[in-house]
Amino acid sequence: MAGGNSTSVSQFLQKWVKPEGDGGEAQPKEEATDEPALPLAPQAVQEETPMVFNAYAMTAANLGASSRRKREKGGGQDGPGAALYVDRRKSKVWNYYTKLGDAYVECNVCKKQLSFHNSTTTMREHLVRKHSIRDTLLSQLKDDQSAEADYAAQENAAKRSRQATSESGLYHVASCSEPRSDVVLELVLEMIFRDLHPLSVVKDKGFGLLLGYLEPNFTLPAPVQLSSMLWHRYNVVKQHLERYLQTAEAIALCAEFWLSRLGQTYLTVTANFIDGEWRRARCVMGTQQTQGDKAEGELGEKLSAVLAEFGLSGKSVFCVVHDGPQSAAAGARRLKDVYGWGSLCCAARTLHLCVKAGLEVEQVQEALSIARGLVRYFQQDAKAARSLTNKLETINKTKLKPVTDVGSRWITTIEMCETLLDLKWAIMSVLEENPKGAAAVRNLADHQWKLLQDLVPVMRTVKIATAFLREEQNASVSSLMPCVHGIVAAIGQQAEEAGVVIKTVVGNIRTELTRRWGLSEDEKALENPAVIASFLDPRFKEMRFLSPGLRSELHRRVKNMLSQVFNHPSPSAAQFRVPNSDYKAEGGEAGGQLAARKDRCSSAASQSVYDILLGKDPTESMPEIHQQLENYIVEPLCKRSTNPLDWWKNNEHRFPAVARLSRQYLAVPATAVLPEQAFAAGESALEHRRAVLAPENLDQILFLHQNFDFFESMRNSNETRNRNLH
């Protein structure tokens, strides 16, 4: 299939969907040609893959409006158009009417004759208004009206789809006239990978009852049949993703380690890059089982194997972001030596380890232990819980509930402390009124309540940093270093007037932040890719968190990077060369000598008498790429709310060499998973559902599930761009 991806997708879609005329009759299916498939441009690759998913979304819409009609369909119509035929005489309203020819009906209750125009709406209204027959008919009426509206929406969607098809010429998507069972089967498969269900869901009794009611004639597939279909869909999408990844200049890999419910360790590898339209792309490449205790030596080999599956070499990788155990982190540090890849630890995991070090102070641990005991007491003792609720009702704060924390998520510790502080007066009152219950639980002492009160502002500051990193424009690692330096400075100021315990907590957090992110005042700090990324972000390029000496050294290093690109240009870097205006493409040796004489004459003529006083103008001998860098440095700063990718998209033509470097560094994400998941207070639906999937099909289901949203967003972005162009 690799040799004819474009043709294979069209045939794949035509297998399940056929065009439909406005009159409801199926049109002849277009003939598939044997012409060789032309290579698609990157834009075509971006637009083609979503259709593998969206073909079935269209057929799903077609099913919604006609599912009940088909179950009620009578005889009298043959051929492909029979699926759209509805015999309205099968409706329940006909229990009260007799048909008199084609244009009239007679009410069996009052014998009144009504006009009939192929709709039962008037008949139903007559029963309700004249005979008060309301019971199941009103709801049925509402359902039928909704179904008719859905049917009209379906027809409009099909027409729009046909129009889009004729405009693009790439895909053939229209109303489905294939056997209904085939379409339902494909939708069952899509439900499995979109909602992360195991293949065994088709064996569940409830699912069988539901589908049996909706589709009485449909035979549920066996899991082995679904597995075969899943592999087919997976291979189709994988081929297009492979072609899409070939367009990336530099890829940042993310390695996420996670545990299943059975305690098995898995590694999910994600590719991150910035495409030609300066859009952030995040594609899941694969998930495989690994041994947690051997992750240190296997990480590089596993990443290389995943790259090979997509036809990529190690040279395409710029950096690796990981969130594995400590042994995996040690292995990632060696990726630079063996594979030439830079490596960073996930910002969410690193921040968790830093906060954990601060909370390990003995006095804090004791206070948190007592706080957890209080929460458990009010959660488990029904009488105490009722008393607490009654007191909260008096001040209209019934939404406040004691919550306990989760050791692996430090944000939940803040929420527990904040809730207890808000409930302090009510908790103290309940314990005083119920001495026997109070004897069963240990209350916080006054100095411990004060400790939690002083601890919360410090933790809130760190929580604000996570909210900053969760914003879309701050997904890149370029936002990380300004944020980390801000945490260090802010909590340091908060600790100045705090007690000894809080100062110890803050000191531990700051020490860990400095050690893990290399916040030293020497040139070693400049080796961190996050520092260079911050400089290439137009919002933070002033690098205020660095000393003037380090800023100058950073500028020199970036200048050297640009010089290497200039002296060893790749095909994509050739565009950065700006030829001399006197350069002649033809003319051979004579042309070269003529150009040289012109250069000498031009150089002599350009010398100014002011050079005697001021020296030669430095910009005349400065390479073009260095001039670009100097111009970028003096460019005004952007607002923090600006998306750096939007800025570079609008200014790439001004600083093409610097933009190419920015495309590499800004592609590196701050977290190994999406920020919403990384900094969440609880387990996400993705984390919960994937943990129970069977190992045999886990890779394929996660691949299709997590890439679906990406391809959908790319398709919507392309459609928006095309509308703007027109």
Side-chain angles (χ1 to χ4, degrees):
M1 297 179 66
N5 289 329
S6 178
T7 303
S8 64
V9 172
S10 298
Q11 294 173 348
F12 174 73
L13 296 176
Q14 291 175 11
K15 177 180 178 183
W16 302 112
V17 293
K18 296 179 183 177
E20 182 180 60
D22 294 336
E25 297 181 359
Q27 302 297 323
K29 189 171 77 172
E30 296 181 1
E31 294 291 330
T33 64
D34 294 330
E35 297 179 3
L38 296 177
L40 292 179
Q43 177 180 343
V45 174
Q46 297 166 8
E47 295 177 350
E48 182 169 357
T49 308
M51 301 307 296
V52 178
F53 295 100
N54 295 330
Y56 302 101
M58 177 62 71
T59 59
N62 297 341
L63 288 178
S66 60
S67 60
R68 185 173 64 258
R69 292 190 175 98
K70 182 168 182 180
R71 291 196 304 273
E72 300 174 350
K73 187 188 71 173
Q77 183 167 347
D78 300 323
L84 298 179
Y85 175 71
V86 181
D87 187 354
R88 286 176 168 80
R89 295 194 59 180
K90 297 299 181 182
S91 174
K92 292 181 179 180
V93 75
W94 288 102
N95 295 331
Y96 300 89
Y97 286 92
T98 301
K99 199 167 189 300
L100 304 176
D102 294 333
Y104 295 95
V105 295
E106 183 180 81
C107 175
N108 295 336
V109 180
C110 63
K111 302 303 180 180
K112 182 176 181 179
Q113 294 184 1
L114 304 175
S115 298
F116 176 66
H117 301 290
N118 203 31
S119 172
T120 60
T121 302
T122 302
M123 299 158 60
R124 294 178 185 278
E125 292 176 350
H126 172 76
L127 292 175
V128 173
R129 188 170 56 251
K130 296 295 184 181
H131 306 297
S132 300
I133 300 178
R134 301 175 179 271
D135 292 337
T136 57
L137 292 178
L138 282 178
S139 60
Q140 183 70 19
L141 172 61
K142 187 180 298 183
D143 291 344
D144 279 3
Q145 290 174 338
S146 175
E148 291 173 3
D150 290 344
Y151 183 69
Q154 163 207 334
E155 290 300 314
N156 293 333
K159 291 179 181 178
R160 289 194 299 270
S161 176
R162 286 192 288 272
Q163 294 173 357
T165 301
S166 62
E167 292 174 0
S168 65
L170 289 175
Y171 312 109
H172 191 68
V173 182
S175 299
C176 180
S177 57
E178 285 290 323
R180 187 182 185 85
S181 60
D182 292 345
V183 179
V184 175
L185 185 59
E186 290 293 336
L187 292 174
V188 170
L189 177 66
E190 185 164 323
M191 179 201 72
I192 285 174
F193 71 74
R194 291 194 67 173
D195 297 335
L196 292 177
H197 291 296
L199 297 185
S200 60
V201 70
V202 295
K203 292 185 175 181
D204 293 345
K205 185 175 181 179
F207 180 76
L209 290 173
L210 174 63
L211 203 57
Y213 174 77
L214 297 175
E215 294 293 327
N217 298 324
F218 180 74
T219 302
L220 283 171
V224 65
Q225 181 183 358
L226 286 174
S227 178
S228 176
M229 296 172 61
L230 185 71
W231 271 95
H232 175 72
R233 184 80 70 94
Y234 166 78
N235 287 325
V236 170
V237 178
K238 185 177 179 181
Q239 287 181 12
H240 293 285
L241 178 57
E242 178 180 339
R243 288 165 46 185
Y244 185 54
L245 289 174
Q246 298 292 338
T247 66
E249 287 188 13
I251 295 175
L253 293 180
C254 289
E256 178 198 3
F257 292 88
W258 55 276
L259 290 174
S260 70
R261 287 288 185 265
L262 299 177
Q264 297 169 326
T265 302
Y266 286 92
L267 168 65
T268 296
V269 180
T270 307
N272 298 263
F273 64 95
I274 297 174
D275 68 7
E277 295 293 325
W278 286 94
R279 295 175 297 191
R280 186 176 304 280
R282 183 180 184 275
C283 314
V284 173
M285 302 179 71
T287 301
Q288 54 185 289
Q289 192 171 347
T290 184
Q291 298 295 329
D293 55 347
K294 297 181 180 179
E296 176 179 349
E298 292 182 352
L299 182 58
E301 290 81 354
K302 287 186 178 293
L303 295 180
S304 297
V306 172
L307 290 171
E309 289 184 14
F310 288 84
L312 300 172
S313 67
K315 295 181 180 179
S316 61
V317 176
F318 172 68
C319 185
V320 176
V321 181
H322 60 88
D323 71 343
Q326 196 63 31
S327 57
R333 286 193 293 269
R334 293 200 297 272
L335 294 177
K336 184 73 173 178
D337 300 330
V338 179
Y339 300 95
W341 303 336
S343 64
L344 290 170
C345 186
C346 172
R349 177 172 177 79
T350 304
L351 200 56
H352 168 76
L353 295 175
C354 295
V355 173
K356 182 181 177 182
L359 296 180
E360 286 179 348
V361 176
E362 181 179 357
Q363 295 90 329
V364 175
Q365 285 293 305
E366 182 181 3
L368 292 178
S369 178
I370 298 175
R372 296 184 187 104
L374 277 173
V375 173
R376 285 194 299 269
Y377 171 70
F378 283 98
Q379 289 177 342
Q380 298 173 3
D381 190 293
K383 183 178 179 181
R386 284 195 302 270
S387 299
L388 183 63
T389 301
N390 292 335
K391 293 189 177 298
L392 294 176
E393 287 178 350
T394 60
I395 58 172
N396 198 24
K397 287 188 177 181
T398 55
K399 292 183 179 180
L400 286 175
K401 300 290 182 183
V403 294
T404 189
D405 63 341
V406 180
S408 60
R409 300 179 186 271
W410 60 270
I411 292 181
T412 60
T413 303
I414 305 177
E415 295 176 352
M416 180 183 71
C417 295
E418 290 176 332
T419 305
L420 284 178
L421 289 171
D422 290 338
L423 296 172
K424 177 183 177 181
W425 69 271
I427 291 174
M428 300 290 286
S429 178
V430 171
L431 294 179
E432 290 176 359
E433 294 174 0
N434 187 12
K436 293 183 179 180
V441 63
R442 183 182 176 187
N443 192 9
L444 289 163
D446 291 342
H447 71 278
Q448 291 173 326
W449 282 108
K450 181 65 167 59
L451 177 60
L452 295 184
Q453 188 174 357
D454 293 341
L455 179 65
V456 165
V458 175
M459 304 295 286
R460 279 178 182 166
T461 301
V462 186
K463 188 177 180 181
I464 291 173
T466 66
F468 174 78
L469 295 175
R470 290 178 65 168
E471 294 183 357
E472 180 183 0
Q473 68 270 20
N474 300 323
S476 170
V477 75
S478 64
S479 303
L480 182 58
M481 298 312 292
C483 185
V484 172
H485 280 275
I487 295 175
V488 172
I491 64 177
Q493 293 178 357
Q494 291 173 327
E496 290 179 357
E497 299 180 359
V500 177
V501 178
I502 296 300
K503 286 184 178 179
T504 304
V505 171
V506 171
N508 290 350
I509 296 177
R510 296 183 67 183
T511 300
E512 287 297 305
L513 290 172
T514 302
R515 181 179 69 86
R516 293 182 180 275
W517 269 304
L519 308 183
S520 56
E521 288 297 329
D522 54 31
E523 295 184 2
K524 190 175 181 180
L526 304 181
E527 298 176 1
N528 190 339
V531 175
I532 300 176
S534 296
F535 171 69
L536 296 172
D537 189 323
R539 302 172 298 170
F540 309 119
K541 61 187 179 68
E542 284 190 352
M543 308 297 284
R544 298 174 182 173
F545 55 85
L546 293 181
S547 64
L550 287 181
R551 283 199 292 267
S552 299
E553 176 62 20
L554 176 63
H555 295 169
R556 187 190 66 80
R557 293 193 180 194
V558 174
K559 191 175 296 184
N560 290 339
M561 293 179 187
L562 294 175
S563 298
Q564 292 175 4
V565 174
F566 183 80
N567 294 329
H568 303 88
S570 63
S572 59
Q575 58 178 312
F576 302 143
R577 287 189 179 275
V578 181
N580 189 285
S581 59
D582 296 325
Y583 173 78
K584 301 295 181 181
E586 300 178 356
E589 182 178 355
Q593 294 175 353
L594 178 61
R597 285 197 299 271
K598 285 187 175 182
D599 286 344
R600 288 193 296 270
C601 294
S602 175
S603 177
S606 63
Q607 289 185 355
S608 169
V609 293
Y610 298 121
D611 291 348
I612 300 174
L613 298 177
L614 306 177
K616 189 175 181 180
D617 189 345
T619 61
E620 293 182 358
S621 59
M622 183 181 297
E624 170 68 18
I625 54 173
H626 292 178
Q627 184 64 53
Q628 290 181 28
L629 180 62
E630 295 297 329
N631 293 340
Y632 168 72
I633 292 174
V634 300
E635 188 76 9
L637 286 177
C638 297
K639 293 182 178 180
R640 282 199 297 266
S641 59
T642 302
N643 191 319
L645 301 187
D646 293 339
W647 189 91
W648 275 112
K649 181 179 180 180
N650 297 327
N651 293 274
E652 180 180 13
H653 65 283
R654 299 173 57 199
F655 320 106
V658 185
R660 179 168 182 254
L661 203 61
S662 300
R663 197 186 296 271
Q664 290 182 351
Y665 280 89
L666 296 183
V668 181
T671 55
V673 297
L674 291 175
E676 296 81 4
Q677 177 183 340
F679 296 113
E683 187 179 52
S684 66
L686 167 65
E687 294 172 300
H688 175 74
R689 293 187 176 187
R690 72 181 178 182
V692 297
L693 292 176
E696 299 81 28
N697 305 107
L698 184 144
D699 181 25
Q700 293 76 40
I701 293 176
L702 282 180
F703 178 87
L704 293 173
H705 170 81
Q706 296 192 257
N707 285 331
F708 182 87
D709 292 337
F710 164 70
F711 287 131
E712 185 74 7
S713 65
M714 295 296 293
R715 182 182 69 86
N716 294 336
S717 178
N718 289 332
E719 289 180 353
T720 302
R721 183 188 61 202
N722 292 336
R723 284 197 300 268
N724 293 336
L725 290 177
H726 293 296

